[in-house]
Amino acid sequence: MATPLLNPQQMMVRGVKWLTPGLKVKRYLLLIPIGLLPVVIGVALLVNIRNTDYYDWLEHRIEQLLHVDIADMRFYLPAGIALIVLGLVLILSALIAVNRSIVGVISPENLETLPEIIQRKRSLNQGARIVVIGGGTGLSTLLRGLKQYSSNLTAVVTMTDDGGSSGLLQQQLGGMPPPGDIRNCLVALADAEPLMQQLFQFRFETRDDNDGLSGHSFGNLLIAAMTRITGDFEQAVEKTSEILAIRGRVLPSTVESVILVGMMEDGREVTGETKIVKDTSPIDRIKLCPEAPTPPQEVLDAIRDADIVVLGPGSVFTSVIPNLLVAPIAEALVATKALRVYICNVMTQPGETDGYTASAHLAAIERHLPSLPTGRKIVDYVLVNDARPSLEAMDRYAKTGADVVTPDTEVIKSMGYHPITGKFLSETQLVRHDHERLSRAILNLWQSRKTKRGFRP
């Protein structure tokens, strides 16, 4: 006879029954009422309750055993305290044993470090409320550093990526929002096992590049599937966040289908982020099509309630400015009381910011925000790297047409911003921002602002 299938509730009940003997919880729970007995007797002795037959009998037996007159209060006080302490020790021991039994089954590898884990999570949950706005690799790089200081993180991601796997999914699934930058931020904030993170970043490579699978990353496909299952891109991102157990949350700057349009200095209009990046003509301005997309309300609420809002790092024209072209986001940035910081790029980008200094990056942002109230700025502080990469790295980048961004701090000051300089680069094969140094600089700046002390990077 075939074994009948169980529904999820029946499976859970059987699982609990099977697990309980291994936990040894019952024997420890029994210690709690046992421990309550000496506590009750001890309290009774302290308040000198002697008007029952039971206590008369107990006094008589104790007097016979110890050869003392327990009617003397000198006996009641130490005996009562001793019994109460004994009972409390039994109860506390039982609770500790129950806790260790449960943790030992659920997460045995964390048994010895549980107090440290709890303390760290509590500290992270009490960390600053930080909103980071951007896209590309720069945003995910910064998030890896900030998640060491706070779990109250919100990443707001630009939604104009139309290249690689994201672009293919948009074409194949009829205008689905691009998941690539969202995926990178989810992995950056993940507390999941390294293998799970590698799985999300795994990219398929097949013999036939036209088979529809080659070039796609697993994470993008999962988000696409979640979108179809839930019927909503935001819910899909939320459910994927739960799988990766991320610290904080990741939100799109808009869930509407938008296209980035570049107006080049030679007068041409170039449509699509990928084509804009590849075009050799300098960029004059960019815009979104349609021009007035709406952001999720959660994005505006996060900016309003934030302690710190960070713009960048990332491509100024394709990662930073597109978020600000969603007008309500720019308006929320102007209105927020949070500390507002812009992180300027370390290197220029060929065809996009050739010859740009740090102040030129700020000027490009201002050029796209003509409706700001007079005298109001989108940020207060600008973090600018003033360290030089190695000669080897400089030579390597020079071959691609890239150069170090000049930290022209005096010009930045004349524009009404507060420049913060420091060694913020990390040099491996690529010259990138150092997420640890950036994170420390931002948190130090916030603490200094709170205590009204001068900032020293």
Side-chain angles (χ1 to χ4, degrees):
M1 181 177 178
T3 303
L5 294 176
L6 303 178
N7 62 39
Q9 289 80 7
Q10 292 171 324
M11 292 175 65
M12 183 175 293
V13 169
R14 289 198 178 185
V16 170
K17 289 181 178 178
W18 174 82
L19 188 61
T20 302
L23 287 175
K24 302 178 181 178
V25 168
K26 291 180 180 178
R27 68 183 66 177
Y28 298 130
L29 291 177
L30 184 62
L31 282 177
I32 296 177
I34 292 175
L36 285 174
L37 181 60
V39 171
V40 172
I41 296 174
V43 171
L45 289 175
L46 288 180
V47 297
N48 198 19
I49 298 177
R50 304 170 57 203
N51 298 324
T52 64
D53 293 339
Y54 169 75
Y55 276 102
D56 288 340
W57 175 84
L58 184 62
E59 283 182 2
H60 180 66
R61 292 298 182 188
I62 294 175
E63 286 176 348
Q64 288 181 333
L65 180 65
L66 301 179
H67 305 290
V68 296
D69 182 9
I70 65 173
D72 191 342
M73 283 299 297
R74 286 175 297 179
F75 171 83
Y76 278 89
L77 181 62
I81 293 175
L83 287 170
I84 291 173
V85 170
L86 173 63
L88 293 177
V89 168
L90 287 174
I91 293 171
L92 182 60
S93 299
L95 292 174
I96 292 174
V98 168
N99 180 69
R100 289 179 65 87
S101 294
I102 295 173
V103 174
V105 171
I106 296 175
S107 184
E109 71 278 4
N110 293 327
L111 185 60
E112 299 303 324
T113 60
L114 184 61
E116 291 82 0
I117 293 173
I118 293 173
Q119 179 60 35
R120 176 155 180 77
K121 286 189 176 292
R122 181 182 294 121
S123 176
L124 290 172
N125 289 336
Q126 295 172 350
R129 294 165 295 184
I130 307 173
V131 177
V132 186
I133 303 173
T137 57
L139 179 59
S140 55
T141 296
L142 178 59
L143 292 174
R144 285 187 177 90
L146 290 175
K147 78 173 185 179
Q148 306 303 323
Y149 298 90
S150 177
S151 291
N152 299 315
L153 294 170
T154 301
V156 180
V157 185
T158 183
M159 301 304 291
T160 58
D161 182 15
D162 60 358
S165 176
S166 292
L168 287 173
L169 286 172
Q170 285 180 291
Q171 297 171 20
Q172 295 167 346
L173 300 179
M176 171 191 163
D181 286 350
I182 292 277
R183 182 198 77 245
N184 287 331
C185 291
L186 290 173
V187 173
L189 291 174
D191 264 348
E193 293 296 324
L195 183 60
M196 180 64 76
Q197 298 181 40
Q198 293 174 22
L199 176 63
F200 264 70
Q201 296 291 53
F202 176 79
R203 193 172 296 275
F204 292 95
E205 294 181 4
T206 62
R207 295 179 181 178
D208 183 2
D209 292 340
N210 299 316
D211 63 0
L213 182 61
S214 184
H216 282 302
S217 70
F218 175 82
N220 285 358
L221 294 175
L222 178 62
I223 295 172
M226 282 287 192
T227 302
R228 287 299 179 94
I229 292 171
T230 63
D232 182 82
F233 184 74
E234 288 182 80
Q235 285 190 38
V237 174
E238 183 179 345
K239 295 300 181 183
T240 308
S241 301
E242 294 173 4
I243 293 173
L244 283 171
I246 72 168
R247 297 181 194 173
R249 55 183 176 166
V250 179
L251 300 172
S253 58
T254 181
V255 292
E256 298 179 23
S257 181
V258 292
I259 300 173
L260 196 64
V261 179
M263 289 159 281
M264 319 307 281
E265 288 188 359
D266 60 10
R268 293 179 301 113
E269 282 194 1
V270 179
T271 301
E273 179 180 313
T274 303
K275 292 181 179 178
I276 293 171
V277 172
K278 291 181 178 179
D279 200 286
T280 56
S281 178
I283 302 170
D284 179 39
R285 294 173 59 85
I286 60 171
K287 65 179 180 180
L288 295 179
C289 183
E291 293 189 4
T294 56
Q297 184 60 42
E298 294 89 342
V299 171
L300 305 181
D301 293 341
I303 295 173
R304 181 196 62 209
D305 299 333
D307 296 312
I308 306 168
V309 179
V310 182
L311 283 182
S315 304
V316 66
F317 285 109
T318 54
S319 294
V320 176
I321 294 176
N323 294 292
L324 303 179
L325 294 179
V326 182
I329 292 180
E331 293 166 3
L333 268 172
V334 172
T336 185
K337 296 181 180 179
L339 172 74
R340 302 171 303 170
V341 181
Y342 169 61
I343 301 176
C344 188
N345 282 1
V346 173
M347 305 292 292
T348 62
Q349 294 179 277
E352 188 170 336
T353 56
D354 294 304
Y356 270 44
T357 61
S359 64
H361 285 75
L362 289 166
I365 294 174
E366 289 185 339
R367 192 162 68 244
H368 288 80
L369 302 170
S371 60
L372 284 183
T374 304
R376 300 300 298 272
K377 299 292 183 182
I378 205 75
V379 295
D380 306 301
Y381 296 87
V382 183
L383 263 59
V384 185
N385 171 66
D386 62 359
R388 300 282 296 182
S390 67
L391 292 176
E392 180 184 352
M394 291 289 293
D395 290 341
R396 190 167 61 248
Y397 271 83
K399 294 176 182 178
T400 67
D403 198 359
V404 177
V405 173
T406 302
D408 52 344
T409 55
E410 293 303 318
V411 179
I412 293 173
K413 290 179 184 177
S414 69
M415 296 171 68
Y417 301 96
H418 301 284
I420 305 296
T421 58
K423 183 181 179 181
F424 299 130
L425 62 80
S426 173
E427 188 179 330
T428 52
Q429 284 297 106
L430 299 173
V431 179
R432 303 287 192 194
H433 280 101
D434 185 295
H435 58 79
E436 277 294 331
R437 292 191 181 114
L438 278 182
S439 300
R440 285 198 301 268
I442 293 169
L443 270 297
N444 287 343
L445 182 56
W446 177 60
Q447 291 290 347
S448 298
R449 190 193 196 202
K450 285 176 61 179
T451 56
K452 297 182 180 179
R453 292 200 300 260
F455 173 68
R456 292 185 176 88

